[in-house]
C-alpha cells in the first residue's frame, strides 16, 4: 500500500488526467505489469474504463488532456500521448494537441511501445522487445524456484530463447537452463 500512498500524494488525490476526485485507482502503464510509482498513474473510474475499453470513449471527456499532457510525470505523459494519438484519428483538437506535445526520447519510446498492436511480446525492464539469441543482464537477485540458489544481479544470460509465455525467456545462468521473467532483465 506504500506505492498507492505515494501515488496519491503525487497526484494530490486527484485523477492525473481529468482531476476528478472520485474513486481513484492505480493504473499500470504498459508494457509494465507491476504497480510502481514510476510505471503507474492514479485514474478515476471514468478515465480507467475508457482507456481499457476505447470503443466506449467519450471524446469530450478527453479534452482534459489539454492540461494533463504538460504533467512532468513520464507515466502521465505516456497515457496522455496514447489517448491523444487514438483520438487524433477522429478529432482535430486532439491532433492539434498531439502536435504541440513534447516528450523526451525515452518517454516517447515508452509511449510508442504501448501502441503496438501486438503487445504480447517479451520485453525487458525498459520495455525493449527481446528476441531469440539476445544477450540479457539480470537486474536484481532472483531466487531459483525449488532450490536455495540465487541468480545474482549483473549475471549475463547469453543467447536467450523465447517461450510460449511472453513474460518469460529461457537461457542458461550459472550453468543451469531456466526460465527468467523478462521484466527482470536488461538487453545488452
Amino acid at each position: 500500500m506504500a506505492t498507492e500512498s505515494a501515488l496519491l500524494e503525487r497526484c494530490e488525490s486527484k485523477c492525473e488526467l481529468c482531476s476528478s476526485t472520485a474513486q481513484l485507482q492505480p493504473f499500470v502503464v504498459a508494457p509494465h505489469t507491476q504497480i510502481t510509482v514510476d510505471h503507474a498513474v492514479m485514474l478515476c473510474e471514468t478515465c480507467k474504463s475508457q482507456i481499457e475499453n476505447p470503443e466506449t470513449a467519450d471524446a469530450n471527456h478527453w479534452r482534459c488532456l489539454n492540461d494533463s499532457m504538460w504533467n512532468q510525470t513520464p507515466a502521465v505523459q505516456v497515457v496522455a500521448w496514447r489517448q491523444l494519438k487514438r483520438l487524433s484519428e477522429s478529432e482535430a483538437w486532439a491532433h492539434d494537441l498531439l502536435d504541440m506535445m513534447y516528450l523526451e526520447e525515452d518517454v516517447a519510446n515508452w509511449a510508442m511501445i504501448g501502441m503496438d498492436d501486438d503487445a504480447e511480446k517479451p520485453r525487458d525492464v525498459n520495455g525493449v522487445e527481446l528476441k531469440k539469441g539476445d544477450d540479457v543482464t539480470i537486474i536484481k537477485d532472483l531466487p531459483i524456484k525449488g532450490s536455495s540458489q540465487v541468480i545474482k544481479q549483473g549475471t549475463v544470460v547469453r543467447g536467450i530463447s523465447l517461450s510460449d509465455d511472453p513474460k518469460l525467456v529461457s537461457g542458461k545462468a550459472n550453468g543451469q537452463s531456466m526460465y527468467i521473467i523478462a521484466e527482470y532483465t536488461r538487453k545488452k
Side-chain angles (χ1 to χ4, degrees):
M1 285 301 169
T3 302
E4 196 167 322
S5 297
L7 287 168
L8 283 168
E9 185 177 327
R10 177 181 79 195
C11 71
E12 299 173 353
S13 297
K14 296 178 186 171
C15 174
E16 292 187 273
L17 297 178
C18 73
S19 298
S20 170
T21 57
Q23 298 177 326
L24 297 178
Q25 302 170 14
F27 177 80
V28 181
V29 183
H32 302 286
T33 57
Q34 296 181 348
I35 296 174
T36 66
V37 174
D38 294 332
H39 301 142
V41 295
M42 289 301 277
L43 299 181
C44 67
E45 184 58 38
T46 303
C47 288
K48 186 173 186 280
S49 67
Q50 289 188 32
I51 288 172
E52 291 173 343
N53 304 300
E55 65 279 355
T56 66
D58 172 16
N60 284 326
H61 173 77
W62 293 107
R63 290 185 181 267
C64 61
L65 296 175
N66 188 35
D67 294 326
S68 57
M69 69 185 228
W70 302 113
N71 191 303
Q72 295 299 305
T73 306
V76 176
Q77 293 173 355
V78 167
V79 175
W81 185 89
R82 288 178 184 170
Q83 283 304 107
L84 287 171
K85 185 79 171 161
R86 285 187 185 106
L87 291 166
S88 67
E89 296 170 9
S90 59
E91 302 290 330
W93 62 266
H95 188 271
D96 293 343
L97 290 179
L98 196 58
D99 285 345
M100 286 191 291
M101 193 169 184
Y102 171 77
L103 298 176
E104 294 291 335
E105 185 177 347
D106 58 331
V107 177
N109 288 338
W110 178 13
M112 286 183 245
I113 286 170
M115 293 297 287
D116 286 350
D117 292 333
D118 184 12
E120 292 297 311
K121 297 177 184 173
R123 298 189 184 278
D124 74 359
V125 67
N126 296 318
V128 175
E129 182 181 346
L130 298 173
K131 294 183 169 48
K132 182 178 180 180
D134 285 346
D135 295 340
V136 297
T137 304
I138 306 298
I139 62 162
K140 69 180 218 173
D141 289 355
L142 297 175
I144 299 173
K145 281 189 178 179
S147 83
S148 60
Q149 295 179 331
V150 174
I151 304 172
K152 294 288 186 190
Q153 177 180 347
T155 301
V156 176
V157 180
R158 300 194 186 283
I160 63 166
S161 298
L162 305 181
S163 70
D164 293 336
D165 184 344
K167 293 180 181 164
L168 299 176
V169 296
S170 63
K172 274 192 171 189
N174 301 336
Q176 288 184 310
S177 293
M178 62 188 69
Y179 286 99
I180 303 163
I181 298 172
E183 197 172 276
Y184 296 144
T185 66
R186 178 177 296 114
K187 186 174 177 177
K188 288 191 82 93

